[in-house]
Amino acid sequence: MEYVTAVPHPPSEAAAPARSGRRSLAAALLCGALGAAVTLLATRQRWAEGTATVAGGDFPLTARGSDVTGVPAALAIVGLAALVAVFAVRRAGRLAVSGLLALSGAGIAAAALVGASDSSALDEKAARAGGDTSAAVDALTHTAWPYVAAAGGLLILLAGLLALRYGWLWPAMSGRYERGTPRPRRTARPVDPERPEEIWKALDRGEDPTGA
């Protein structure tokens, strides 16, 4: 008498890339969207503050991130556009867009770190407040918001690196939305041989009314 033992089969090796693709896709979308939101929020906050000496006394001055540099906000928008465009292209195009996404994040981090110690925006405000082009800001202090913007840039950079590494596993836009997809041709209705007018119409269209 023969016995049949049920031995569990090991998971298919083909399922591992699919799982990696889904996880990396979710991580990239989260990092990219969160990084752009954090960067845009940080550029609207105060990055530096100080005082300018004018005729009436000390005049308080503040500079937001957008006053210091417009690079992080602009690159955050570029990064969002690249994150969406990743799914609209394939092969070499996807590789190029993924590289743009990574470079956007690196540029945000670099610009934010440079702006963390920048005082030119407040100096310009001090010059306008005092009417003296050589005026400078006193008691200059910086906030932590530039580093928050840099952290947002690092998240976008991580999304770009994930796209470069796992982007070939991610889905692309459906082929029916791509330009040049042929439409299915409509099949001709069979001709009724008992109706002469249909036979003549078929002959005018260059069709064989006999169906041979």
Side-chain angles (χ1 to χ4, degrees):
M1 185 175 180
E2 296 181 357
Y3 294 92
V4 179
T5 58
V7 179
H9 295 280
S12 175
E13 295 181 359
R19 287 195 301 269
S20 299
R22 289 192 297 268
R23 293 173 182 173
S24 60
L25 173 59
L29 289 174
L30 177 62
C31 291
L34 181 60
V38 168
T39 301
L40 292 174
L41 174 64
T43 56
R44 292 181 173 88
Q45 310 303 318
R46 288 186 300 173
W47 282 24
E49 52 191 3
T51 59
T53 303
V54 296
D58 293 337
F59 185 75
L61 298 172
T62 60
R64 297 185 300 175
S66 56
D67 298 328
V68 176
T69 174
V71 173
L75 289 181
I77 297 175
V78 172
L80 275 178
L83 186 63
V84 175
V86 165
F87 303 98
V89 293
R90 299 180 181 180
R91 299 184 180 88
R94 177 167 291 186
L95 189 64
V97 173
S98 301
L100 176 62
L101 178 61
L103 289 176
S104 298
I108 291 172
L113 291 177
V114 170
S117 58
D118 185 85
S119 62
S120 58
L122 282 182
D123 289 340
E124 292 178 1
K125 289 189 175 184
R128 290 196 298 268
D132 183 4
T133 57
S134 61
V137 177
D138 299 325
L140 176 64
T141 59
H142 293 86
T143 67
W145 283 108
Y147 302 101
V148 175
L154 292 179
L155 287 174
I156 296 177
L157 172 61
L158 178 58
L161 294 178
L162 287 172
L164 287 171
R165 174 62 179 85
Y166 298 101
W168 63 279
L169 295 172
W170 297 353
M173 184 180 295
S174 176
R176 65 178 179 174
Y177 296 107
E178 295 179 358
R179 183 178 298 176
T181 302
R183 295 182 178 179
R185 298 183 62 182
R186 182 180 301 175
T187 58
R189 187 180 61 181
V191 177
D192 186 357
E194 296 183 358
R195 301 185 64 179
E197 66 275 9
E198 292 190 6
I199 296 176
W200 287 110
K201 290 179 180 179
L203 290 173
D204 291 338
R205 294 193 299 267
E207 300 174 358
D208 184 2
T210 63

